[in-house]
Amino acid sequence: MGSWRWRVPLVSGLLIVASFAASAASGADALGDALMVAAAAVAGWGIAVKAARALMVRVVGIDLLVSVAAIGAVIIGEYWEAAAVTFLFAVGHALENATLSRTRSALAELVAVAPEVAVVLRGGEQVEVPAASVAVGEEVLVKNGARVPVDGEVTGGTGALDEASITGESIPVEKTTGDEVYAGTVSMGGFLQVRAAGVGAGTTLARIIHRVEEAQDAKARTAAFMDRFSSWYTPAVIALALAFGLATGDAVLALTLLVIGCPGALVISIPVAIVAGIGRGAKDGILIKGGEYLETSARIDAVALDKTGTLTEGRPYLTDVVPLGAAWSRADVLGWAARAEAGSEHPLARPIVDAARGEGLDITGLPEATEPVPGKGIVATLDGHRVAVGNLALLEDEGVTSAVIAGVVDELAAAGRTPMVVAVDARPAGVVAVADRVRSDAARMVADLHAAGVKKVVMLTGDTRRVAEAVAGQVGVDEVRAELLPEGKLEAVAGLRARGHVVAMVGDGVNDAPALATADIGVAMGAAGTGVAIETADIALMKDDLSKLPRAIAMARSTVSVMRQNIFIALGTVGALLAGVLLGGVTMAIGMLVHEISVLVVIGNAMRLLRRRGTPRTAGGTPDRTPHRSEARDPDRLAS
């Protein structure tokens, strides 16, 4: 398709070159003229067909003006002018189509997330059936590693589900009897028995698919500037040429006005600026899916950010080890916790075990016995000692109560972390905590967005409010909306738009897709993002570098500024030439020379966008090198 797009201007250009070569040869002027007419015909045929079709539905556009001017130029023997006008127009259309064409496969990616099969209990036996055939009320079994095929309620068993694709929750959620589960989430351990409540099109995942489809259908492409401009410019030029031709009886003057009036520089000015802006973005790892999104991005004044995988890294880490009393060291607490969790399938066991190994602790060997306690933690027997690792409820079951422990746990939870108490033989040893770590560049990115003119930065997340507010305090966002399902994120974005904001939504997962599609501009985090987020978004940051977001907005504003400059240059040139023709002194040859110079000027102006820009600047105009709180503090220790 891409090669076909450029075939017409390529063939026309080759014919123009061949015409000049033939004319330079002695006695070959006739051949040169024939080749130039052929070049005009090749480039102008499609333009003429479009003009004729538009006239059939009573639409007058630039295509008609170019067609009339080219035909008139051929009639009066100005073959080069006819070829030049049509060739420039063909190149402009090819550039515009190249930058605006894009293929979306978001819905296909979303459907791929949905599980195809389900294991149900029928007649007391496990039966594997297509997920779409599960009936409401049936009992569905979800085993370790399997995707949940339905929305429903847990009626038996325990397990941990990775719900990041639906709720955005950064840490797998423990599920026990009475808890809700969603189709498309993944079991990270355990065994669940689920009563189906939402199946097929009634699942949360199916509603996400519907929302994406609905939002994309509603997002009509903005009308091209040339269409709006030509609705009055073309009739005006044709009427002007006709009036002067009739008044003076000079057909050459009328045709000269038509040729001079063809805005060659204007035709190419917008596409070449778009190509340059998109090309600069691509070199910087910013993929922009069309010129209309560049224009919209230049007006962004509100940015909505997903938390998990965008402001945070999306993986749990050990953040704190707090010994309780002088009898216990950090190594003691972490070592007992890691050895106990070594026999656990719980997702939070891995960061504890990995941290212990990273600190060189000896955690070889498995517990003599391991007893998972659903919704509370784990109890293990190690070298004859009973070790419990879990929440306060587990410690109460073990007969351990302490106001000091409760205070440490509450402080860690308030900091947005998941605390687990470690007790050895019913004696509290300490507390370990894990969390999804905030990206080191998140605070700088938010500050740069504000410096770039963004008035409101909002964090949207499915995480709990305490976790969300803890992250927000570190990165400096203006507003927090927590515990949101995908539809809640979509409603938040729609609300910002309803209040008059031009909204960019930044996300990385399936759960963000509806909001990405609803926002004026959807921005996907590339390396960390799912395929559906990247395909749904209008801008994709191909690397996990948050500084690229304010850079993308700045680049969009620069591109739109260049587009406006080019429009002014093109229209100013046409206006001056038309005045020169009417006042005398500007011939068709002079007019075409000036037209060609103006084309080079607008191209050169657009090429300035390809220059690499330096360090992002603050509103005051100087590079901002002040360290942010997230860079100055140690995130791995509990503030005392």
Side-chain angles (χ1 to χ4, degrees):
M1 186 63 183
S3 60
W4 174 259
R5 182 185 301 120
W6 290 100
R7 188 171 300 174
V8 168
L10 177 61
V11 172
S12 177
L14 290 175
L15 287 170
I16 290 174
V17 172
S19 172
F20 282 128
S23 297
S26 178
D29 288 342
L31 176 59
D33 291 342
L35 290 172
M36 198 66 77
V37 171
V42 169
W45 174 255
I47 300 170
V49 170
K50 288 178 63 178
R53 289 175 178 171
L55 278 176
M56 292 176 65
V57 292
R58 299 180 181 179
V59 175
V60 176
I62 292 291
D63 292 320
L64 178 63
L65 177 57
V66 173
S67 300
V68 172
I71 293 171
V74 170
I75 291 174
I76 63 175
E78 301 289 353
Y79 306 126
W80 155 239
E81 286 75 5
V85 168
T86 53
F87 172 74
L88 287 174
F89 201 78
V91 170
H93 267 308
L95 285 170
E96 187 175 22
N97 291 334
T99 56
L100 294 177
S101 64
R102 59 192 173 95
T103 302
R104 290 192 182 274
S105 58
L107 296 181
E109 294 285 348
L110 276 172
V111 172
V113 174
E116 296 180 355
V117 297
V119 178
V120 299
L121 278 178
R122 291 180 178 175
E125 295 184 0
Q126 298 184 24
V127 181
E128 188 173 284
V129 300
S133 69
V134 177
V136 173
E138 280 197 292
E139 297 292 328
V140 178
L141 305 181
V142 181
K143 303 177 182 180
N144 184 21
R147 287 188 181 274
V148 179
V150 297
D151 287 0
E153 180 181 330
V154 177
T155 58
T158 61
L161 295 183
D162 180 357
E163 296 186 337
S165 63
I166 300 296
T167 67
E169 178 70 39
S170 57
I171 295 176
V173 180
E174 193 77 30
K175 297 293 182 180
T176 59
T177 301
D179 291 337
E180 290 186 348
V181 298
Y182 305 103
T185 58
V186 182
S187 173
M188 304 297 290
F191 178 84
L192 295 174
Q193 190 169 333
V194 178
R195 180 182 295 111
V199 299
T203 65
T204 300
L205 181 61
R207 289 198 298 272
I208 294 176
I209 294 173
H210 174 69
R211 290 285 191 174
V212 173
E213 185 177 32
E214 186 180 65
Q216 287 183 336
D217 287 345
K219 187 190 287 184
R221 290 176 57 180
T222 57
F225 171 81
M226 287 304 301
D227 292 337
R228 300 194 301 269
F229 175 78
S230 64
S231 63
W232 63 266
Y233 180 80
T234 295
V237 173
I238 292 177
L240 180 69
L242 184 60
F244 272 85
L246 292 175
T248 63
D250 189 344
V252 174
L253 173 63
L255 290 173
T256 300
L257 284 171
L258 284 176
V259 173
I260 297 300
C262 284
L266 182 62
V267 169
I268 202 171
S269 63
I270 295 176
V272 75
I274 290 172
V275 168
I278 290 178
R280 175 70 269 166
K283 291 182 180 180
D284 289 340
I286 302 167
L287 179 61
I288 302 173
K289 295 187 175 180
E292 62 185 289
Y293 306 113
L294 268 175
E295 291 185 82
T296 304
S297 296
R299 298 185 290 111
I300 290 171
D301 64 357
V303 175
L305 299 163
D306 176 46
K307 180 184 72 68
T308 304
T310 302
L311 292 174
T312 65
E313 296 178 358
R315 299 186 305 274
Y317 290 87
L318 179 76
T319 57
D320 302 273
V321 178
V322 184
L324 298 173
W328 305 99
S329 66
R330 174 186 174 91
D332 292 333
V333 176
L334 182 56
W336 284 115
R339 290 186 64 194
E341 294 285 8
S344 172
E345 289 185 344
H346 197 281
L348 298 186
R350 177 55 62 88
I352 295 173
V353 173
D354 288 347
R357 287 174 178 161
E359 295 187 15
L361 301 181
D362 183 9
I363 58 171
T364 56
L366 293 175
E368 294 99 77
T370 299
E371 179 188 347
V373 183
K376 297 180 180 181
I378 191 170
V379 177
T381 302
L382 296 165
D383 302 330
H385 297 282
R386 183 177 177 85
V387 181
V389 182
N391 56 25
L392 290 176
L394 177 65
L395 268 292
E396 290 177 4
D397 293 346
E398 294 292 303
V400 180
T401 57
S402 167
V404 174
I405 296 175
V408 172
V409 168
D410 190 62
E411 188 176 355
L412 287 167
R417 298 162 188 176
T418 302
M420 291 168 280
V421 183
V422 182
V424 181
D425 294 329
R427 295 169 53 212
V431 181
V432 296
V434 299
D436 188 5
R437 187 172 295 164
V438 175
R439 291 173 181 263
S440 61
D441 54 352
R444 175 60 57 83
M445 180 269 292
V446 174
D448 286 344
L449 284 175
H450 284 134
V454 175
K455 299 176 182 177
K456 184 180 285 290
V457 181
V458 183
M459 185 173 74
L460 310 178
T461 179
D463 266 357
T464 63
R465 177 157 293 278
R466 295 184 84 176
V467 171
E469 289 179 346
V471 173
Q474 294 183 52
V475 302
V477 299
D478 302 307
E479 185 178 334
V480 177
R481 300 191 187 184
E483 300 175 4
L484 298 177
L485 288 174
E487 292 185 7
K489 292 185 178 182
L490 183 150
E491 291 168 1
V493 170
L496 287 169
R497 294 185 67 194
R499 292 198 294 272
H501 290 290
V502 178
V503 183
M505 169 67 192
V506 186
D508 75 322
V510 174
N511 62 296
D512 302 319
L516 287 170
T518 301
D520 295 286
I521 291 294
V523 183
M525 295 295 293
T530 62
V532 61
I534 293 175
E535 291 299 331
T536 306
D538 307 308
I539 297 177
L541 308 182
M542 302 312 291
K543 295 181 181 179
D544 285 340
D545 182 356
L546 292 178
S547 68
K548 294 188 183 300
L549 179 58
R551 183 175 300 173
I553 294 174
M555 184 192 67
R557 289 176 177 167
S558 295
T559 302
V560 169
S561 176
V562 167
M563 289 167 61
R564 290 171 179 165
Q565 293 166 14
N566 282 353
I567 291 170
F568 177 80
I569 292 170
L571 291 180
T573 300
V574 171
L577 288 176
L578 287 176
V581 172
L582 295 176
L583 296 174
V586 174
T587 64
M588 187 176 292
I590 293 175
M592 287 308 300
L593 176 61
V594 174
H595 263 308
E596 290 158 26
I597 293 174
S598 69
V599 168
L600 294 178
V601 170
V602 299
I603 290 176
N605 190 40
M607 290 303 102
R608 295 189 300 113
L609 294 167
L610 293 175
R611 293 184 302 184
R612 181 174 294 277
R613 301 189 179 274
T615 304
R617 295 179 176 269
T618 65
T622 56
D624 182 8
R625 303 187 184 280
T626 304
H628 288 266
R629 287 176 297 165
S630 60
E631 297 170 353
R633 67 192 295 271
D634 181 1
D636 295 330
R637 299 296 298 166
L638 177 66
S640 57

